[in-house]
Amino acid sequence: MRELHGVPVGYPHTRSGAKAAAANYTTIAGSSRFLTDKDARHRAVAVMAAKDTAGSVVKKADHAAENAVGSLRGDTSKVSAEKAISRTGVLSAHVLGFDAHGAMVRLWTTTVRGSAAGHATPRTGFRSVTVTLTWEDNDWKLKDSSASTGLVAPIDVRQASNVPADFSAYAPGAAENPVLSGTEDRSGFPAPYGHNERGARAAAVSATMLYGDPRFFTDEDWRHRMLAATAASSVLDSVTSDTDSTARLVMENRGVGADGKTADGSELITRTAALATRSISYSDQAASIELWTASVGGVAGKDETQRPQVAFLRMTVDLVWEDGTWKTTAVTPSEPLVPSPPAMQEADPANSFADVGGASNAPATA
């Protein structure tokens, strides 16, 4: 993919391409630069929007930016564009409608907004975003979007909120938004990545998303094919053995069978979204990428003790250039980076999360 005014363009004319476009447009519209820089916002909208809806999309974007000022200020007197934290992660993507001419995609997202300055920790939120797209000029273009409060998952009880300064590594100038392409090979896994730093970042994003997919735990054949497509040959055997053990342990602890459900029909829910990426090191042959991620895990059913929770982690993905693409040698959780919980919102009951599970709701990969 290529970018124009910071907007990825050139999506495949597929369901996955529509999912990717919806996710990228939502991520961009929730970024601090989009919300704080009017000129940058209007340039981005000019790229994203369909010809006949550009005017209404601009008005809606300007209104959203006005409403976001308070959340980006933290407890300081005014917004600092350099310190503003505004990131969006896509946890699920459900295609409500699709044909050759258009698509409608409903996203479940988690957002983190605030400031790395001051004393108020950036706060998380959950949104349901419905994006309407049209196929125009050989690409997916934005016709409209609407947002409401999404399913609220509690933050993992083992995680405590960080202080504002800890978020500086993911301020606008220090990290980048993930870019999803929706491009797949015939196996259904991401197509080969470019031999550059951007390609390494994309491979790292896809790896963390695929490791968080429910099929990773419930479908051994899918897991082995995914690892064969993404892991370096030097570690494939050991990674396969380790992940087989991890998957068995998760299914045993959750009481989940091979169909991804418990004895009473409750469904395993797991997703990992990338909030931002930054390079630790890069060369033509090896790269190390740090991602800030939000992972949801639990069971959608009647047992509230297994209600899905969200954990905010930094993940380090090490990669090598092999067989014409980037392959992972390690995917390692590191220090948490945890925002404050949603303000004045209670977590939704466990059974309400069933709508975001299943393979059909998986977001597009990078």
Side-chain angles (χ1 to χ4, degrees):
M1 296 186 72
R2 57 189 180 88
E3 290 189 6
L4 185 60
H5 295 307
V7 178
V9 295
Y11 297 96
H13 196 187
T14 61
R15 286 175 175 261
S16 291
K19 283 185 176 185
N24 286 341
Y25 295 162
T26 300
T27 298
I28 291 167
S31 67
S32 56
R33 186 172 185 226
F34 189 93
L35 296 171
T36 61
D37 186 332
K38 183 177 181 180
D39 290 340
R41 179 167 64 251
H42 288 186
R43 288 194 297 268
V45 168
V47 177
M48 291 190 291
K51 293 184 180 72
D52 62 348
T53 61
S56 62
V57 173
V58 166
K59 289 180 181 179
K60 187 173 287 189
D62 286 344
H63 182 67
E66 291 175 7
N67 291 338
V69 170
S71 64
L72 299 181
R73 188 172 58 231
D75 62 356
T76 60
S77 60
K78 61 181 182 179
V79 173
S80 166
E82 294 77 19
K83 294 288 187 178
I85 303 297
S86 189
R87 302 288 181 180
T88 299
V90 177
L91 292 162
S92 77
H94 179 63
V95 178
L96 300 174
F98 177 87
D99 61 27
H101 307 290
M104 182 179 288
V105 183
R106 185 176 62 218
L107 308 174
W108 178 39
T109 71
T110 183
T111 61
V112 180
R113 288 186 178 176
S115 176
H119 302 88
T121 299
R123 189 175 296 278
T124 190
F126 294 91
R127 302 171 77 214
S128 177
V129 184
T130 300
V131 181
T132 305
L133 303 163
T134 186
W135 187 253
E136 179 180 282
D137 295 336
N138 206 36
D139 209 356
W140 289 113
K141 295 292 184 177
L142 177 64
K143 283 186 69 71
D144 193 19
S145 67
S146 60
S148 60
T149 300
L151 287 169
V152 177
I155 293 179
D156 191 316
V157 295
R158 296 166 294 182
Q159 292 195 324
S161 300
N162 286 67
V163 299
D166 292 343
F167 293 81
S168 295
Y170 289 95
E176 297 182 6
N177 287 323
V179 175
L180 308 183
S181 73
T183 303
E184 301 172 341
D185 62 17
R186 280 184 287 182
S187 70
F189 295 109
Y193 297 100
H195 196 184
N196 50 39
E197 186 175 336
R198 182 176 176 180
R201 286 176 185 256
V205 169
S206 289
T208 58
M209 293 175 70
L210 292 168
Y211 271 66
D213 190 288
R215 289 167 290 184
F216 180 86
F217 302 98
T218 63
D219 188 335
E220 182 180 90
D221 177 66
W222 185 92
R223 182 172 63 251
H224 288 181
R225 288 188 291 109
M226 184 276 287
L227 292 171
T230 61
S233 57
S234 60
V235 301
L236 181 57
D237 289 345
S238 61
V239 168
T240 300
S241 176
D242 290 345
T243 55
D244 283 350
S245 298
T246 298
R248 282 195 297 269
L249 185 62
V250 168
M251 292 177 70
E252 289 171 5
N253 288 344
R254 296 290 188 180
V256 172
D259 62 353
K261 296 184 178 181
T262 62
D264 66 359
S266 301
E267 185 176 5
L268 178 69
I269 304 296
T270 66
R271 296 280 186 224
T272 297
L275 292 160
T277 74
R278 65 190 191 99
S279 293
I280 304 302
S281 63
Y282 175 81
S283 72
D284 284 348
Q285 297 303 313
S288 183
I289 310 295
E290 185 182 86
L291 286 79
W292 182 20
T293 67
S295 293
V296 170
V299 174
K302 297 178 181 179
D303 185 355
E304 295 299 331
T305 66
Q306 294 211 65
R307 177 170 49 190
Q309 299 181 57
V310 61
F312 292 89
L313 293 171
R314 281 173 275 206
M315 305 284 289
T316 301
V317 182
D318 297 315
L319 309 108
V320 295
W321 183 255
E322 180 181 284
D323 296 334
T325 192
W326 290 103
K327 297 289 188 78
T328 61
T329 57
V331 180
T332 311
S334 55
E335 290 298 314
L337 182 61
V338 188
S340 293
M344 307 298 290
Q345 290 183 343
E346 293 186 2
D348 285 286
N351 60 10
S352 61
F353 289 85
D355 288 343
V356 298
S360 63
N361 289 326
T365 47

